[in-house]
Amino acid sequence: SMASPVGCEHYVRGCLLKAPCCGKLYVCRLCHDAQENHPMDRFKVREVQCSKCNTLQQAQKTCQQCQLQFGEYYCDICHLFDKDKKQYHCQPCGICRIGPSEKYFHCDKCNLCLAQDLRGNHRCVENVSRQNCPVCMEDIHTSRIGAHVLPCGHLLHKTCFDDMVKTGVHRCPLCMRSAWNLDYHWNLLDKEISQTPMPSEYQDATVQVICHDCQTHCTVPFHVLGLKCTGCGSYNTAQDGGLMWQQEGQNLQDEGEPEQQD
């Protein structure tokens, strides 16, 4: 007889897991959690049922009865069966990650596996992945969606980052730091501001700002298009207080006079 359909939308596998909580058979914990009102503990799975010959047996890579391979990859800690995606089990993370393992390293402070090019090249945030994604509020550490590391060290799901960029948001939702290098963008703003002088009564106006990127507090020329940090050149700043005029005694009372024509 034909083998019954193998796997689910999440995994390609040749067996059903016996849920340790309720004893029901499911292809995977995600399918279980979508149906039941309690989560399944993948680590406590002890038995699986072959989807070809229906033999219930202890969790293992190959059916003891008909020799069907349940998964090209099998982890006997996570009881993860799947097609080979170069997975590896990370001991400190406590779960399987999609590899290949040589492309990743485990950062002890962030307590997470990160891409090799971030080694010595990211800002550590302790246990960063144990916080939920600030965009969708779902778990990051055990998510099957990869994590995107922002320059500030905070994490969000790769898909949430892409959505954020599409909607024109360019700051970390948690700390407001720029979400990538925006120098090109700031240079364009420099040009635009230099070509758009403010009306004469605002020429000497200044304002205090706090820079989200370098935390500098500074006093800068007021301009409606942007307030540029004197510390790092970023326009990712927040105005702190009202307008001030540099020259003593000058204020807006001469506003009513006609502009001088060239």
Side-chain angles (χ1 to χ4, degrees):
S1 72
M2 292 278 297
S4 43
V6 169
C8 60
E9 59 172 311
H10 308 108
Y11 298 107
V12 177
R13 51 179 61 163
C15 60
L16 298 168
L17 309 181
K18 186 173 173 185
C21 36
C22 54
K24 295 183 191 168
L25 293 163
Y26 280 97
V27 180
C28 81
R29 68 180 175 95
L30 300 163
C31 294
H32 167 283
D33 293 358
Q35 292 294 310
E36 306 293 338
N37 60 5
H38 58 269
M40 179 172 118
D41 184 345
R42 65 182 112 177
F43 305 106
K44 291 201 173 113
V45 170
R46 293 293 165 256
E47 292 181 296
V48 297
Q49 185 185 68
C50 175
S51 46
K52 190 173 171 190
C53 71
N54 296 334
T55 306
L56 192 67
Q57 55 200 289
Q58 72 168 51
Q60 54 200 310
K61 190 172 181 174
T62 309
C63 177
Q64 63 192 32
Q65 190 68 32
C66 73
Q67 269 62 65
L68 175 73
Q69 192 184 38
F70 295 146
E72 293 174 339
Y73 175 83
Y74 171 57
C75 170
D76 62 354
I77 301 170
C78 298
H79 306 299
L80 173 65
F81 302 83
D82 200 5
K83 64 170 185 281
D84 182 16
K85 297 173 186 158
K86 304 278 182 281
Q87 298 94 326
Y88 64 99
H89 182 87
C90 174
Q91 210 56 52
C93 276
I95 53 175
C96 289
R97 296 273 180 215
I98 291 181
S101 60
E102 58 275 9
K103 286 201 169 165
Y104 296 90
F105 74 102
H106 184 88
C107 173
D108 289 324
K109 187 163 184 197
C110 294
N111 197 1
L112 182 70
C113 286
L114 297 172
Q116 283 290 2
D117 59 357
L118 290 168
R119 195 189 276 272
N121 190 26
H122 70 282
R123 189 180 274 239
C124 289
V125 177
E126 262 179 88
N127 277 332
V128 65
S129 70
R130 305 307 198 275
Q131 308 165 2
N132 285 349
C133 171
V135 175
C136 68
M137 306 315 283
E138 301 279 319
D139 177 65
I140 290 182
H141 187 70
T142 63
S143 173
R144 295 171 66 247
I145 302 167
H148 180 87
V149 187
L150 297 173
C152 53
H154 290 122
L155 290 189
L156 28 79
H157 294 120
K158 178 79 184 77
T159 47
C160 292
F161 173 73
D162 294 341
D163 291 345
M164 191 177 94
V165 175
K166 277 190 207 115
T167 55
V169 177
H170 55 255
R171 303 198 292 203
C172 171
L174 290 172
C175 68
M176 301 300 220
R177 259 188 72 162
S178 293
W180 62 89
N181 184 323
L182 289 164
D183 291 350
Y184 173 76
H185 192 60
W186 303 153
N187 289 336
L188 291 180
L189 257 174
D190 285 344
K191 271 201 196 82
E192 216 184 320
I193 285 173
S194 69
Q195 292 161 8
T196 321
M198 289 290 283
S200 60
E201 66 268 22
Y202 288 106
Q203 298 270 296
D204 295 318
T206 60
V207 68
Q208 285 190 310
V209 299
I210 301 164
C211 177
H212 290 307
D213 286 341
C214 72
Q215 272 62 64
T216 299
H217 290 241
C218 48
T219 303
V220 305
F222 174 70
H223 199 287
V224 285
L225 293 179
L227 305 170
K228 185 184 177 76
C229 170
T230 54
C232 69
S234 165
Y235 282 93
N236 181 9
T237 56
Q239 186 173 328
D240 185 18
L243 298 190
M244 302 172 296
W245 273 262
Q246 284 164 324
Q247 282 144 5
E248 217 42 65
Q250 185 182 344
N251 55 31
L252 283 182
Q253 69 197 30
D254 51 15
E255 217 181 328
E257 288 175 43
E259 293 282 348
Q260 210 132 19
Q261 298 298 323
D262 288 344

